Amino acid sequence: MFRRTRRTRNNAVIRDLISNVNLSMNDFLYPIFIEEGSNIKTEIEAMPNQFRFSIDKLKEELEEIVSLGIKGILLFGIPKDKDETASEAYNENGIIQKAVRYIKSNFPELLIVTDVCMCEYTSHGHCGILCDTNVDNDSTLEYIAKIALSHVEAGSDMVAPSDCMDGHVYAIRNILDKNGYYNTPIMSYSVKYASCYYSPFRIAADSAPSFGDRKSYQMDYRNSKEYITKIENDIKENADIFIIKPALSYLDIIKDVSSKFNIPIAAYNVSGEYSMIKAASKLGFIDEKKAVLENMHALKRAGADIIITYHAKDLSRYLKEI
């Protein structure tokens, strides 16, 4: 005798009653690109409906974000000037620092998370300090810590180091604690793979490396074990939230981490994943709304507590319609 599982699927009300994977606007963080300059609102060609904003053009965008029920944003900065040590990244009057102060003053209800890295700010496009043509891990830590502190001093609610240096969480936690910011959480890009899915982001943020690649410090997707060590290291270093990136090609990693560790997980639904949906939808190959909702539920089902996604504004509408 077989069990008729279809009995609980043949009625919409029953399906709703027993569904146990649900989405709300509380689940999402929305990334925003902020460019130094004025009167800038430029659509990113590789990411339809995503823009680079100057601070003077943020007001309308942030008003919409708040009205849609988005509670938190993740900021990426694009400076005018770049150098070998990413000095604009930790300048107290840098683009992110000024943006944080503006948002805190005008939209205090928004949670501000700031990406902490050097790639957008270095002349060579790599995520740290170079020694010949290699990124030097330990000398980079000092700069990453300085960047994080400058963001928090400007008013950032949470810092998210994405540089992938070993020991970066410890370096940030140490400098924040020394300066009295004991309660500022760190959302670490704990499991960040070297991925082709970042290509649209690198166009958006002017952050592509000018030579080589980032495979020596971002993780190899062919390795099925290293992510455990990365998570364990960040736990020991006192990270508070753990990002897994990209998201959709790494559902197995999200699921395994959520099963093995009692930690908050943020899945980063990255630019390439977003752009593929937009491109396929434009060509009429898929239904965008259905595809986005299916993907978001997959991330939640795998174990994500937070979803960082460029779809967040669309999801506000989609969730009201279902």
Side-chain angles (χ1 to χ4, degrees):
M1 186 68 177
F2 57 87
R3 181 181 176 187
R4 293 187 181 274
T5 59
R6 289 183 59 184
R7 285 194 290 249
T8 55
R9 295 200 301 270
N10 65 6
N11 182 291
V13 175
I14 296 175
R15 290 196 298 272
D16 289 342
L17 283 170
I18 65 173
S19 66
N20 62 354
V21 181
N22 299 295
L23 296 171
S24 80
M25 293 308 295
N26 294 329
D27 295 325
F28 306 120
L29 284 176
Y30 186 59
I32 302 178
F33 298 95
I34 304 179
E35 183 175 359
E36 195 166 6
S38 59
N39 200 34
I40 298 168
K41 182 182 177 181
T42 306
E43 186 169 16
I44 300 161
E45 184 178 1
M47 299 175 67
N49 299 329
Q50 299 298 309
F51 298 84
R52 288 162 50 147
F53 297 93
S54 54
I55 293 173
D56 61 313
K57 285 290 187 176
L58 272 178
K59 184 175 185 291
E60 184 178 348
E61 175 72 1
L62 295 173
E63 286 175 342
E64 181 185 14
I65 285 169
V66 170
S67 72
L68 291 173
I70 295 170
K71 307 292 180 62
I73 52 178
L74 173 60
L75 304 184
F76 296 93
I78 305 161
K80 279 185 178 178
D81 299 316
K82 305 186 180 194
D83 57 34
E84 290 191 352
T85 60
S87 60
E88 283 300 302
Y90 51 87
N91 180 351
E92 67 176 18
N93 290 310
I95 181 60
I96 284 296
Q97 291 80 356
K98 289 189 289 189
V100 168
R101 288 193 288 267
Y102 170 81
I103 297 168
K104 270 295 167 193
S105 295
N106 294 279
F107 298 88
E109 66 271 44
L110 280 173
L111 178 81
I112 302 174
V113 184
T114 49
D115 181 80
V116 175
C117 197
M118 299 172 71
C119 58
E120 300 106 304
Y121 301 87
T122 53
S123 51
H124 45 75
H126 278 282
C127 301
I129 301 298
L130 293 183
C131 180
D132 296 323
T133 58
N134 296 311
V135 174
D136 185 75
N137 189 95
D138 292 5
S139 59
T140 297
L141 295 180
E142 175 187 350
Y143 290 87
I144 292 298
K146 286 168 61 176
I147 296 167
L149 178 61
S150 73
H151 289 186
V152 175
E153 288 177 333
S156 177
D157 297 301
M158 185 187 303
V159 289
S162 62
D163 56 286
C164 297
M165 299 299 117
D166 294 331
H168 64 173
V169 173
Y170 176 80
I172 293 172
R173 185 75 273 155
N174 190 44
I175 199 170
L176 293 183
D177 288 355
K178 280 185 177 179
N179 285 272
Y181 297 108
Y182 307 103
N183 293 321
T184 300
I186 299 171
M187 182 167 67
S188 175
Y189 289 70
S190 302
V191 181
K192 181 178 178 180
Y193 287 91
S195 173
C196 70
Y197 289 109
Y198 305 148
S199 295
F201 174 94
R202 291 174 181 172
I203 294 169
D206 292 340
S207 65
S210 60
F211 65 89
D213 54 44
R214 295 175 180 150
K215 291 182 179 180
S216 68
Y217 46 98
Q218 295 180 355
M219 292 173 57
D220 187 343
Y221 58 76
R222 299 171 301 174
N223 191 311
S224 66
K225 298 179 180 179
E226 186 181 20
Y227 67 91
I228 295 294
T229 301
K230 291 284 289 178
I231 289 286
E232 289 174 342
N233 282 347
D234 279 3
I235 289 173
K236 291 175 184 175
E237 294 174 28
N238 281 316
D240 300 286
I241 300 172
F242 303 74
I243 295 176
I244 297 173
K245 176 184 181 183
L248 296 173
S249 295
Y250 299 87
L251 291 171
D252 59 322
I253 309 299
I254 297 170
K255 183 66 174 178
D256 196 44
V257 171
S258 70
S259 299
K260 284 186 168 71
F261 300 96
N262 183 25
I263 57 175
I265 297 171
Y268 199 143
N269 178 216
V270 298
S271 59
E273 296 168 335
Y274 169 88
S275 295
M276 286 193 302
I277 292 285
K278 290 291 185 180
S281 174
K282 184 177 181 180
L283 291 169
F285 294 160
I286 61 170
D287 182 303
E288 181 175 337
K289 173 184 173 181
K290 291 179 180 178
V292 171
L293 286 170
E294 187 171 337
N295 286 345
M296 296 303 111
H297 280 89
L299 294 174
K300 288 287 285 186
R301 191 175 63 245
D305 302 290
I306 300 165
I307 300 173
I308 304 167
T309 181
Y310 304 94
H311 293 293
K313 290 167 72 173
D314 292 330
L315 280 158
S316 175
R317 183 176 73 255
Y318 297 160
L319 293 178
K320 291 174 184 174
E321 294 171 351
I322 60 174

